[in-house]
Amino acid sequence: MTSNEVREKYLKFFISAPRMHREIAPAPLVLEGDPTTLFTSSGMQPLIPYFKGEKHSKGKRLVDSQPSLRLQDIEEVGDNRHETFFEMLGNWSLGDYFKKEQIPWIFEFFTKELGLSKERLWVSVFEGNKDVPKDTETFEIWKSLGIPEERIVYYGVEKNWWSRSGSPNEMPVGEIGGPDSEIFFDFGTKHDPKYGEKCHPNCDCGRFLEIGNSVYIEYEKKEDGSLKELPQKNVDFGGGLERITMAVNNLQDVFQIDIYKPIISKIEKAVGKKYEDNKKAFRIIADHIRASEALTCEGIIPSNKLQGYILRRLIRRAALKMRQLGVSVTDLDISEVVGSEIGKFEKIIENGTNLAKNPNIKPFDLYQSYGIPLEITEEIFAESARKITSADRKEFEEEFSKHKESSRKASAGMFKGGLADSSEEVTKLHTATHLLHASLRKVLGEGVSQKGSNITSERLRFDFSHPQKLTGEELTKVEDLINLQIEKKLPVSFEVVSLDEAVKSGALHFFAEKYGEEVKVYTIEDFSREVCGGPHIKNTSEIGHVKIIKQEKVGSGLLRIYAKLG
Ligand code: ATP
Ligand code: MG
């Protein structure tokens, strides 16, 4: 069965009766309005507000296939089952059905629709801790479906508790989470004692493959440190499309499935070596090139900042592996963006070779300024008959681990501190954007239309059509008009209607083709009416004050305004 067939079967199964899910469009790999994370790393990430009670325009049962990128797994790439970029099949109950419907459904999907043998399935359940009881309900449901007790394994918070920040203890106030139940496919291979005395579903020896995880999001962390049940119980299922395709085809290697076959054989041709003999390097190249192409397709270009930097790292890592195998990645079939980044990297290495002629240059200097890893520096040094000494190596390792720790902290902070601290700011700026849009139209005329927007916790950015820059007077007028609506303490409300009705009622809409047939229309009294997914604050007074900080002309007839709170 191909991966496309698996995806189609999955969507069809959950859309059909009695499951009756509605398909939602996958989110982009870089989430708008969420400055706290670099990439979408699961299907549930864009849905967080809806677990807490926000209403979704497509209802309470949703399904999709979400392209995901997990940088935190980059070091795992090279084993038989981890990718940085993968597709996650997801389905959700937003306060609708719960375990006793969901577990039999996902079981039916795996065994009947995909034909996985029941004997090959193992599951894990949450063993409980001081805050949350043992999940015996899930255990019993699996048992009633014919999974024998020996194949239902209890694990603690490290394995079977989900929240964005980790265990219940680590969750900040306001964060949601719950116990989960993972499904594993058993390849039945022999255990490798290198990975521990006994084999078990979460063992890394390769016998078991996690093909899906059902999270029961039903708790919220309270001020007093306790976990309280959410007003609604949610289900969040996620399963890797590539991994499910592995199980269906009984292939114990994700890089052998249809998606990777052509890439692997191209590398074999370019390198003149066999995959079998160079698995780790081939896997890294195949994964990183595929991830890079996915990022490039979404308009990201290599740079020294944020997503662009990650893209650059992925491309360079792939290029490096190819170099070690003796060829250039440009020998593969790749896009212009990726190809020219490789060209740049090869130049850097050439420059590094020149720099290395200076005896004062240390290996870590080459790494820090040019991103040249130690093994390449070794080659470069060899060309000028220079050797890497053990002192060089020690210094490199020390500096490198310092550097790694600070970037790890930076990215952990970005994810963790993130949404909890800043979502309020972001929500306010979302509503402020609607006020700005409406104010611009009132001051400059109906010719103004939105061309783009981007929100971080610090500021909003709004692109719109207008022939020339605004005068100082116009800018003041716009800013005053926004703040007047804030002073008026206007309620912000929404309704769910069809896109047709929304347009007929005069609601502004931007990129209508991105919306489903039913949309949310946010209204700020009679000042603004706009199609938008939300979330928004409840009253304009919560915004406080808005200040326009900059305007720019970014194209012909295209202006950009930056504004912030306070
Ligand atoms: P693992 O322990 O194998 O790294 P996980 O527990 O991190 O997986 P979840 O966060 O539960 O995974 O994600 C849901 C599903 O997505 C997993 O059951 C798996 O099928 C898939 N998945 C997760 N990470 C990856 C990855 N790096 N590559 C491929 N598939 C993945
Ligand atoms: Mg998991």
Side-chain angles (χ1 to χ4, degrees):
M1 204 184 292
T2 65
S3 49
N4 280 337
E5 284 163 348
V6 172
R7 186 195 304 105
E8 260 164 47
K9 274 185 190 281
Y10 176 80
L11 295 172
K12 219 166 133 195
F13 180 77
F14 280 97
I15 290 167
S16 66
R19 292 156 297 271
M20 306 292 276
H21 286 56
R22 290 182 65 190
E23 188 178 350
I24 54 172
L29 270 175
V30 178
L31 276 178
E32 166 133 348
D34 185 349
T36 63
T37 106
L38 289 174
F39 300 106
T40 305
S41 63
S42 67
M44 64 83 70
Q45 205 176 320
L47 297 172
I48 291 177
Y50 305 104
F51 297 127
K52 284 183 153 181
E54 176 110 4
K55 211 165 166 272
H56 196 286
S57 64
K58 289 247 174 164
K60 294 178 176 176
R61 298 181 178 197
L62 309 176
V63 64
D64 80 1
S65 180
Q66 174 67 51
S68 304
L69 201 134
R70 290 194 176 180
L71 215 53
Q72 65 268 37
D73 286 349
I74 195 165
E75 297 295 336
E76 321 277 348
V77 176
D79 69 8
N80 69 331
R81 63 191 184 284
H82 282 94
E83 306 158 271
T84 52
F85 173 73
F86 62 98
E87 242 181 90
M88 196 186 285
L89 301 177
N91 71 274
W92 297 274
S93 160
L94 304 172
D96 191 12
Y97 62 83
F98 208 49
K99 298 171 184 176
K100 70 177 193 315
E101 294 87 8
Q102 188 262 343
I103 298 173
W105 286 344
I106 198 66
F107 181 72
E108 181 182 339
F109 174 69
F110 278 136
T111 53
K112 298 244 167 66
E113 294 291 318
L114 298 185
L116 295 183
S117 151
K118 190 162 92 175
E119 317 309 320
R120 298 278 207 109
L121 298 183
W122 290 60
V123 296
S124 65
V125 280
F126 183 53
E127 83 181 356
N129 76 347
K130 64 176 185 12
D131 308 301
V132 185
K134 188 168 178 169
D135 194 359
T136 50
E137 187 188 357
T138 298
F139 184 96
E140 291 303 329
I141 299 173
W142 281 118
K143 212 172 118 181
S144 74
L145 292 169
I147 303 282
E149 287 186 17
E150 315 83 78
R151 285 197 268 120
I152 311 175
V153 185
Y154 279 108
Y155 288 96
V157 285
E158 287 118 72
K159 294 290 178 197
N160 282 72
W161 176 267
W162 184 88
S163 89
R164 220 175 148 165
S165 302
S167 71
N169 271 343
E170 291 165 314
M171 289 163 68
V173 176
E175 192 167 275
I176 55 175
D180 61 31
S181 177
E182 299 182 328
I183 304 167
F184 299 84
F185 183 78
D186 180 2
F187 285 103
T189 46
K190 231 179 118 218
H191 175 63
D192 181 347
K194 191 169 98 193
Y195 297 93
E197 209 175 300
K198 254 184 81 188
C199 199
H200 59 104
N202 275 306
C203 173
D204 285 330
C205 76
R207 170 177 165 189
F208 291 103
L209 176 73
E210 184 190 325
I211 54 174
N213 188 4
S214 310
V215 188
Y216 303 110
I217 302 179
E218 46 180 327
Y219 295 99
E220 180 172 357
K221 185 77 167 235
K222 289 286 156 195
E223 304 269 349
D224 65 3
S226 67
L227 283 176
K228 199 171 158 256
E229 284 189 22
L230 282 166
Q232 68 182 50
K233 288 182 183 240
N234 310 283
V235 179
D236 158 37
F237 172 82
L241 171 67
E242 294 85 342
R243 289 197 185 174
I244 297 170
T245 308
M246 280 168 78
V248 172
N249 294 291
N250 201 22
L251 289 167
Q252 211 176 357
D253 177 358
V254 72
F255 296 93
Q256 299 272 321
I257 68 164
D258 58 346
I259 292 176
Y260 287 103
K261 265 229 152 99
I263 315 180
I264 296 288
S265 63
K266 270 185 202 155
I267 305 174
E268 282 189 324
K269 273 213 193 86
V271 177
K273 289 179 182 154
K274 283 267 155 241
Y275 170 62
E276 278 310 307
D277 307 324
N278 299 276
K279 277 193 183 162
K280 188 159 183 199
F282 272 58
R283 287 169 173 174
I284 293 174
I285 298 163
D287 171 80
H288 290 10
I289 292 290
R290 176 172 178 241
S292 300
E293 295 294 1
L295 288 172
T296 317
C297 273
E298 293 212 1
I300 297 160
I301 47 168
S303 74
N304 285 330
K305 256 177 67 179
L306 302 170
Q307 287 86 1
Y309 175 68
I310 303 302
L311 173 57
R312 170 162 283 170
R313 250 180 71 191
L314 287 166
I315 299 174
R316 289 185 175 186
R317 249 179 135 227
L320 192 62
K321 286 284 166 218
M322 283 290 276
R323 203 183 142 86
Q324 287 164 350
L325 291 170
V327 274
S328 161
V329 191
T330 34
D331 296 338
L332 296 177
D333 222 356
I334 43 174
S335 68
E336 218 177 296
V337 177
V338 175
S340 84
E341 177 62 20
I342 293 164
K344 273 190 207 154
F345 184 56
E346 286 176 348
K347 273 232 170 64
I348 285 172
I349 292 189
E350 213 174 285
N351 290 341
T353 313
N354 288 331
L355 282 169
K357 291 185 182 135
N358 174 350
N360 294 325
I361 289 276
K362 301 257 196 227
F364 192 73
D365 299 335
L366 292 180
Y367 176 75
Q368 201 172 27
S369 316
Y370 301 100
I372 306 178
L374 193 63
E375 59 264 36
I376 291 286
T377 301
E378 216 160 358
E379 276 178 42
I380 290 174
F381 275 24
E383 282 174 34
S384 45
R386 216 179 133 181
K387 267 219 170 92
I388 293 187
T389 61
S390 59
D392 279 344
R393 201 175 288 278
K394 193 160 167 251
E395 183 189 276
F396 185 93
E397 272 155 21
E398 276 167 21
E399 292 292 333
F400 183 74
S401 55
K402 266 192 239 157
H403 175 85
K404 213 170 160 186
E405 179 62 9
S406 59
S407 48
R408 191 193 64 76
K409 276 198 186 125
S411 61
M414 185 145 190
F415 197 77
K416 260 194 179 172
L419 204 61
D421 309 335
S422 67
S423 64
E424 215 179 297
E425 257 45 55
V426 169
T427 312
K428 286 179 189 172
L429 285 167
H430 260 286
T431 309
T433 304
H434 285 210
L435 290 177
L436 169 64
H437 191 183
S439 302
L440 284 167
R441 289 170 63 92
K442 294 208 157 76
V443 174
L444 304 173
E446 308 270 291
V448 166
S449 75
Q450 175 171 358
K451 295 291 173 215
S453 102
N454 172 281
I455 293 173
T456 72
S457 55
E458 256 90 65
R459 53 100 184 121
L460 69 82
R461 191 180 84 197
F462 187 75
D463 295 348
F464 60 102
S465 56
H466 192 60
Q468 71 276 336
K469 272 190 159 184
L470 278 68
T471 62
E473 198 185 325
E474 282 168 335
L475 279 175
T476 313
K477 259 194 195 159
V478 171
E479 194 180 281
D480 288 349
L481 198 53
I482 298 172
N483 288 310
L484 184 64
Q485 312 316 310
I486 296 175
E487 279 157 36
K488 282 190 190 162
K489 302 190 178 18
L490 302 177
V492 181
S493 59
F494 74 85
E495 55 187 327
V496 177
V497 297
S498 73
L499 182 60
D500 282 357
E501 279 171 65
V503 174
K504 261 191 228 137
S505 74
L508 298 176
H509 61 103
F510 167 59
F511 282 154
E513 65 279 10
K514 267 196 353 200
Y515 297 109
E517 56 235 312
E518 272 172 0
V519 294
K520 262 170 141 176
V521 176
Y522 274 91
T523 304
I524 307 176
E525 281 237 319
D526 50 7
F527 189 75
S528 149
R529 198 170 155 72
E530 210 172 304
V531 173
C532 177
H536 286 278
I537 49 170
K538 301 247 159 14
N539 190 292
T540 56
S541 62
E542 292 168 47
I543 300 175
H545 190 263
V546 170
K547 196 161 172 40
I548 295 179
I549 44 182
K550 194 157 94 179
Q551 76 158 326
E552 281 170 3
K553 197 165 158 67
V554 284
S556 107
L558 187 61
L559 296 184
R560 170 171 286 183
I561 279 185
Y562 290 90
K564 61 174 191 172
L565 300 176

